[in-house]
Amino acid sequence: MKTDLTQALSTIRDEGRALGVDHLVSRNPTHVNYLTGCGVHSPGDAFILITPSNIVLFSDKRYEGTIRRVIADNPLIQMFIWDGLHPWDDLLSFVEPGQRVGFEKTSQYTTYNVVSKLQEAADKRGATLIGIDDIVMNVRMIKSPAEIALLQEAFKLSDDAFRYIMGQISVGQTEIEIAQALNAYMRKVSGTDELAFATIVASGENGDTPHATATDR
């Protein structure tokens, strides 16, 4: 499902202006995926700059093909492929001197090293770096009707999968075998190749571990 990017950007910009910033940078992979549709797994794979007019999606050659497909469907997203040497200077090149750039000060992806590099690039550009609350998270927390429908569909899939696997379990199967059967069923009926997290199947002494890892028990 695609995010209503026009509405999301409008809300983010309004909140950004209220906090005194013109641009916002995010390294959160979930934010990147939510706003651009480019699925990455690490903050080192890609990051975004939300500007007053669009989103600039920065990445390296590995994701160029994926990003080209993303931007073909959305003119609000612009691609920048970096050479890996000066990514923060590349980002600040989209910021005019005197403008204010916000970063997510409470994010787990905002490390000291990242902030120091951003500050260095901002100083060279004559821009101001400001730590702000995670306003993209605020937008993601309020679900649209389409997102609510998608969640309801996921809940139904989970219920159906549980009923299915309960009818398949037999004496002698291992936790791993049950987990694999459940994964295969969910992928088949959902049409996706990814699950929210590793499937938990726990029996016997493993049953009191909420986040157990399936074993050959």
Side-chain angles (χ1 to χ4, degrees), residues 8-195:
L9 285 179
S10 177
T11 303
I12 292 169
R13 287 171 185 143
D14 287 345
E15 293 198 25
R17 281 192 292 267
L19 294 172
V21 298
D22 308 298
H23 300 71
L24 173 67
V25 59
S26 178
R27 298 178 72 240
N28 186 326
T30 305
H31 291 354
V32 172
N33 191 10
Y34 177 79
L35 291 173
T36 70
C38 181
V40 295
H41 303 287
S42 165
D45 292 335
F47 55 87
I48 54 175
L49 177 70
I50 300 173
T51 79
S53 59
N54 67 354
I55 293 178
V56 186
L57 175 55
F58 297 80
S59 188
D60 58 38
K61 284 287 187 180
R62 294 173 299 161
Y63 290 93
E64 183 174 2
T66 299
I67 296 173
R68 288 195 183 281
R69 288 190 290 274
V70 166
I71 63 177
D73 295 332
N74 202 322
L76 289 174
I77 303 172
Q78 178 180 351
M79 177 177 68
F80 187 98
I81 301 299
W82 79 68
D83 60 9
L85 299 177
H86 306 288
W88 304 119
D89 289 336
D90 293 336
L91 181 144
L92 266 295
S93 70
F94 289 86
V95 176
E96 295 299 324
Q99 290 189 317
R100 299 156 299 181
V101 181
F103 68 91
E104 298 154 344
K105 63 181 180 181
T106 58
S107 171
Q108 63 178 308
Y109 303 105
T110 303
T111 63
Y112 174 81
N113 182 60
V114 167
V115 175
S116 63
K117 294 293 186 182
L118 267 174
Q119 186 65 68
E120 182 181 334
D123 290 343
K124 288 192 290 186
R125 187 64 174 168
T128 302
L129 191 65
I130 303 173
I132 63 173
D133 294 332
D134 191 340
I135 57 180
V136 180
M137 180 66 76
N138 295 342
V139 171
R140 287 177 48 209
M141 287 173 62
I142 302 174
K143 305 302 182 186
S144 68
E147 288 173 322
I148 292 172
L150 194 63
L151 288 170
Q152 291 171 333
E153 182 180 342
F155 298 153
K156 182 180 184 301
L157 171 61
S158 297
D159 289 342
D160 291 346
F162 182 76
R163 284 191 288 269
Y164 165 81
I165 203 64
M166 289 302 293
Q168 301 297 312
I169 296 174
S170 61
V171 174
Q173 286 181 301
T174 67
E175 294 170 348
I176 291 176
E177 289 171 338
I178 295 169
Q180 289 174 336
L182 184 54
N183 291 345
Y185 176 84
M186 288 191 288
R187 288 190 172 98
K188 178 180 179 180
V189 299
S190 70
T192 183
D193 61 355
E194 291 192 28
L195 302 175

Side-chain angles (χ1 to χ4, degrees), residues 194-206:
E194 291 192 28
L195 302 175
F197 51 84
T199 298
I200 299 169
V201 178
S203 60
E205 63 269 19
N206 298 334

